[in-house]
Short mmCIF file of all heavy atoms in Angstrom, two decimals:
data_model
loop_
_atom_site.label_atom_id
_atom_site.label_comp_id
_atom_site.label_asym_id
_atom_site.label_seq_id
_atom_site.Cartn_x
_atom_site.Cartn_y
_atom_site.Cartn_z
N GLY A 42 5.22 1.69 -42.16
CA GLY A 42 5.84 2.02 -40.91
C GLY A 42 5.90 0.76 -39.88
O GLY A 42 6.49 0.91 -38.81
N GLY A 43 5.36 -0.27 -40.30
CA GLY A 43 5.29 -1.50 -39.50
C GLY A 43 4.16 -1.54 -38.53
O GLY A 43 4.10 -2.43 -37.70
N ALA A 44 3.24 -0.64 -38.64
CA ALA A 44 2.09 -0.63 -37.71
C ALA A 44 1.02 -1.69 -38.13
O ALA A 44 0.75 -1.79 -39.26
CB ALA A 44 1.44 0.72 -37.64
N VAL A 45 0.56 -2.44 -37.17
CA VAL A 45 -0.50 -3.38 -37.40
C VAL A 45 -1.86 -2.72 -37.19
O VAL A 45 -1.92 -1.71 -36.47
CB VAL A 45 -0.29 -4.57 -36.45
CG1 VAL A 45 -1.34 -5.65 -36.71
CG2 VAL A 45 1.03 -5.17 -36.58
N ASP A 46 -2.89 -3.29 -37.71
CA ASP A 46 -4.28 -2.59 -37.65
C ASP A 46 -4.78 -2.63 -36.21
O ASP A 46 -5.98 -2.17 -36.09
CB ASP A 46 -5.15 -3.24 -38.66
CG ASP A 46 -5.61 -4.66 -38.24
OD1 ASP A 46 -5.00 -5.28 -37.32
OD2 ASP A 46 -6.49 -5.18 -38.91
N GLY A 47 -4.13 -3.16 -35.24
CA GLY A 47 -4.67 -3.06 -33.84
C GLY A 47 -5.39 -4.34 -33.42
O GLY A 47 -6.19 -4.29 -32.52
N GLY A 48 -5.11 -5.41 -34.02
CA GLY A 48 -5.73 -6.71 -33.63
C GLY A 48 -5.32 -7.13 -32.26
O GLY A 48 -4.49 -6.58 -31.57
N ALA A 49 -5.88 -8.24 -31.83
CA ALA A 49 -5.66 -8.71 -30.40
C ALA A 49 -4.20 -9.08 -30.15
O ALA A 49 -3.75 -9.03 -29.01
CB ALA A 49 -6.56 -9.97 -30.17
N ASP A 50 -3.40 -9.42 -31.20
CA ASP A 50 -2.03 -9.79 -30.96
C ASP A 50 -1.12 -8.51 -31.05
O ASP A 50 0.12 -8.64 -30.85
CB ASP A 50 -1.51 -10.79 -32.00
CG ASP A 50 -1.68 -10.29 -33.46
OD1 ASP A 50 -2.49 -9.29 -33.70
OD2 ASP A 50 -1.02 -10.86 -34.30
N ASP A 51 -1.59 -7.37 -31.19
CA ASP A 51 -0.88 -6.14 -31.23
C ASP A 51 -0.48 -5.76 -29.76
O ASP A 51 -1.35 -5.61 -28.95
CB ASP A 51 -1.76 -5.00 -31.85
CG ASP A 51 -1.10 -3.65 -31.93
OD1 ASP A 51 0.16 -3.61 -31.83
OD2 ASP A 51 -1.79 -2.71 -31.98
N PRO A 52 0.81 -5.55 -29.54
CA PRO A 52 1.26 -5.22 -28.13
C PRO A 52 0.73 -3.90 -27.65
O PRO A 52 0.41 -3.77 -26.52
CB PRO A 52 2.80 -5.17 -28.29
CG PRO A 52 3.14 -5.70 -29.58
CD PRO A 52 1.90 -5.74 -30.43
N VAL A 53 0.55 -2.89 -28.54
CA VAL A 53 0.01 -1.63 -28.02
C VAL A 53 -1.45 -1.89 -27.70
O VAL A 53 -1.94 -1.32 -26.63
CB VAL A 53 0.11 -0.59 -29.18
CG1 VAL A 53 -0.53 0.77 -28.69
CG2 VAL A 53 1.57 -0.34 -29.47
N ARG A 54 -2.19 -2.64 -28.43
CA ARG A 54 -3.65 -2.85 -28.22
C ARG A 54 -3.77 -3.64 -26.84
O ARG A 54 -4.60 -3.31 -26.02
CB ARG A 54 -4.23 -3.65 -29.27
CG ARG A 54 -5.73 -4.07 -29.09
CD ARG A 54 -6.52 -2.80 -28.97
NE ARG A 54 -7.85 -3.09 -28.56
CZ ARG A 54 -8.86 -2.38 -28.90
NH1 ARG A 54 -8.73 -1.30 -29.59
NH2 ARG A 54 -10.09 -2.65 -28.49
#
Side-chain angles (χ1 to χ4, degrees):
V45 181
D46 72 350
D50 61 338
D51 178 23
V53 177
R54 179 59 188 212

